[in-house]
Amino acid sequence: MKTKDGFSIKDGHPTFNHQYTDPINALEFANELIRHTYREGYSLPEMP
Amino acid sequence: MIREMNSENIVALCDVDWKYAGPQLEAYPNAKKYKDFRKMFDEMGSQIDAVVVGTADHTHAVIAARALSMGKHVYCEKPLTHTVYETRLLTRLAAKQKVATQMGNQGASGNGVRQICEAIWSGMIGEVTRVEAFTDRPIWPQGLETPTEVHTPHPELDWDLFIGPAPYRPYNQIYHPWNWRGWWDFGTGALGDMACHILQPAVKALNLKSPVAVQGSSTALMTDCAPNAQIAKFIFPARDNMPKVGMPRVEVTWYDGGLLPEYPKGWPAGRNMNDSGGAVIFYGTKDTLVCGCYGVNPWLLSGREIPAPAMTREVPEGNHILDFVRACKEGPESRIKCASDFSEAGPLNEMVVMGVLAVRLQGLNRELQWDGEAMKLPTSLPTIPSE
């Protein structure tokens, strides 16, 4: 994933400035997308 | 939306931004006003019969789950929730509490969806193995870098309450109002925002439940903001055949951000595929059916006429909101479910947020196998490389 997707013309040449995240633990990331960890003060009831 | 319920007694209103919500708050002078939904439920719970949730996507579940747990009927805007787990929870809570529910995908109550369902169920277009759909959204910024500038929220906006259950981040005007849709912590991008409208006829007509595999791709994938354009593919296994048509394995492909499905063979040259914000193309073994966003204006590529719907229930004037009000006033034993009752909206929403997940995990460079029942991906996923 990109943290920066920059572009500019320098001395007449197209110049890209792409910066990326560190490698990501896909399983941890996926599990967080499937079930979020909530901030303190917020919670869900038990799954019936 | 609330104004369509003016026949009812609105006893409380809650919004984290009293400036943005000002006209709505002023329209109901007798309603008690809140910024924190938790406080509202604590103080007004005994006076509330039904709750309408129209907040940013990431807070739908915590509000709706609280309301359902208290036995309230719930109308919740689309997407129903931000994650699969939240959707499953709301679906089960609603069933347990035997309350009226409705997701805010209004087309579900329209005659177009009835017409599509009845045409497919009659075998008119044969077995459907491929569906393609798109939206012309986003109509808000996407593909952005995370802002570094910190703005001061105006005094009537409680930013901490807007953040709600999500990780805290400082306020920037790019997030609120409206544009939260494009930020992953708060919204679900064009896919989450519109697929609950556009794919509902496909899920309903083809009786789709959990996909068994998903795949996503997009323009530049940023860490915090949805990409400018996305493609998501969902694979569904064969379902039980219907009396007049088989229900084989089907692939559903979604496009947004200006991308379109390819034109079906025989497409009338010059005809704009975009009808009311998008379209769905059902490829059957006998014909191809096309409809617009919300299931409107279904038509067949062959030129044959689709009969007027006759078997399925007609929602009076197609009014999705008043049909929810009707359902709230019926007892649990005799209640006719709304067109987007959570029992139907749940599987649709799970599919939609799985599409979001597939786009965000595209760096794995594979089709993701999905165990919908267990809500699990394969347990041996590798690390996503940095680029």
Side-chain angles (χ1 to χ4, degrees):
Chain A
M1 273 182 276
K2 287 182 180 175
T3 57
K4 191 164 188 58
D5 192 31
F7 170 80
S8 61
I9 300 289
K10 286 185 180 171
D11 300 327
H13 299 286
T15 305
F16 294 91
N17 178 12
H18 294 167
Q19 295 175 23
Y20 297 86
T21 59
D22 291 334
I24 294 168
N25 180 319
L27 199 58
E28 284 182 12
F29 184 48
N31 287 337
E32 180 62 28
L33 296 182
I34 293 165
R35 182 178 180 179
H36 288 333
T37 305
Y38 286 168
R39 202 159 61 108
E40 190 176 346
Y42 296 87
S43 62
L44 293 172
E46 289 295 310
M47 181 77 78
Chain B
M1 178 171 39
I2 287 288
R3 286 182 183 170
E4 288 203 56
M5 296 183 179
N6 274 347
S7 57
E8 309 309 306
N9 182 20
I10 310 299
V11 295
L13 293 167
C14 183
D15 199 298
V16 299
D17 185 349
W18 283 14
K19 181 180 176 187
Y20 189 67
Q24 281 70 40
L25 299 177
E26 290 164 13
Y28 300 93
N30 296 327
K32 197 158 181 193
K33 277 68 171 183
Y34 293 89
K35 286 186 175 175
D36 188 333
F37 75 89
R38 298 166 298 185
K39 189 177 179 193
M40 179 185 73
F41 282 129
D42 286 345
E43 293 185 4
M44 300 288 289
S46 62
Q47 298 177 55
I48 294 171
D49 300 311
V51 175
V52 176
V53 183
T55 56
D57 300 349
H58 73 298
T59 52
H60 287 182
V62 287
I63 300 169
R66 175 88 179 262
L68 289 169
S69 296
M70 296 171 76
K72 312 304 182 191
H73 308 292
V74 174
Y75 182 105
C76 184
E77 265 306 336
K78 48 75 198 173
L80 185 60
T81 73
H82 210 241
T83 71
V84 172
Y85 181 87
E86 292 170 344
T87 305
R88 192 72 56 89
L89 176 71
L90 295 195
T91 306
R92 290 187 184 175
L93 280 174
K96 179 185 173 191
Q97 299 287 53
K98 297 186 167 79
V99 292
T101 54
Q102 179 93 294
M103 181 169 77
N105 52 341
Q106 296 87 339
S109 292
N111 281 340
V113 173
R114 297 174 61 218
Q115 211 172 0
I116 293 162
C117 289
E118 294 186 24
I120 290 176
W121 297 343
S122 72
M124 192 175 187
I125 70 166
E127 294 183 349
V128 176
T129 56
R130 177 183 166 202
V131 175
E132 304 220 319
F134 83 98
T135 181
D136 61 359
R137 267 62 164 186
I139 50 174
W140 49 86
Q142 293 192 177
L144 302 179
E145 296 171 8
T146 307
T148 54
E149 191 176 355
V150 176
H151 296 150
T152 302
H154 63 76
E156 293 181 272
L157 167 63
D158 189 320
W159 179 240
D160 191 77
L161 289 177
F162 179 93
I163 291 275
Y168 187 83
R169 67 173 63 205
Y171 176 69
N172 183 287
Q173 290 172 6
I174 193 62
Y175 299 130
H176 170 81
W178 179 255
N179 297 325
W180 50 262
R181 287 167 172 78
W183 295 92
W184 290 132
D185 274 359
F186 311 131
T188 44
L191 168 55
D193 196 80
M194 291 304 290
C196 289
H197 286 306
I198 292 174
L199 291 178
Q200 188 270 340
V203 169
K204 174 85 174 175
L206 301 177
N207 193 25
L208 303 177
K209 303 299 180 190
S210 288
V212 292
V214 292
Q215 180 183 328
S217 62
S218 71
T219 53
L221 183 66
M222 309 302 292
T223 49
D224 284 339
C225 195
N228 283 317
Q230 311 166 90
I231 299 174
K233 186 171 86 172
F234 309 84
I235 298 173
F236 294 89
R239 286 85 59 218
D240 290 342
N241 290 336
M242 299 196 74
K244 295 182 179 175
V245 67
M247 290 282 159
R249 176 186 187 274
V250 59
E251 290 188 9
V252 179
T253 309
W254 168 266
Y255 304 82
D256 65 41
L259 303 175
L260 293 181
E262 65 180 79
Y263 292 104
K265 189 177 177 186
W267 183 267
R271 178 167 181 155
N272 191 344
M273 195 182 277
N274 187 358
D275 182 353
S276 309
V280 188
I281 306 167
F282 296 83
Y283 289 88
T285 50
K286 296 180 184 172
D287 209 332
T288 300
L289 188 153
V290 185
C291 69
C293 181
Y294 317 106
V296 299
N297 307 321
W299 57 284
L300 296 175
L301 215 57
S302 65
R304 291 186 297 162
E305 289 292 321
I306 302 176
M311 298 180 290
T312 46
R313 182 178 78 94
E314 181 175 10
V315 174
E317 299 178 16
N319 194 314
H320 199 62
I321 294 170
L322 291 184
D323 201 49
F324 168 71
V325 174
R326 182 270 311 158
C328 291
K329 296 179 178 179
E330 294 175 352
E333 303 308 322
S334 60
R335 177 180 299 127
I336 298 170
K337 286 183 177 177
C338 294
S340 199
D341 181 270
F342 288 1
S343 59
E344 293 204 21
L348 166 61
N349 201 76
E350 287 192 19
M351 169 194 182
V352 169
V353 292
M354 279 306 295
V356 172
L357 180 145
V359 168
R360 298 190 70 183
L361 288 174
Q362 64 184 273
L364 288 169
N365 300 313
R366 68 190 62 199
E367 185 178 89
L368 292 169
Q369 305 304 304
W370 173 241
D371 180 348
E373 179 64 29
M375 296 187 281
K376 286 192 183 303
L377 291 166
T379 53
S380 59
L381 294 177
T383 298
I384 302 174
S386 62
E387 59 178 294

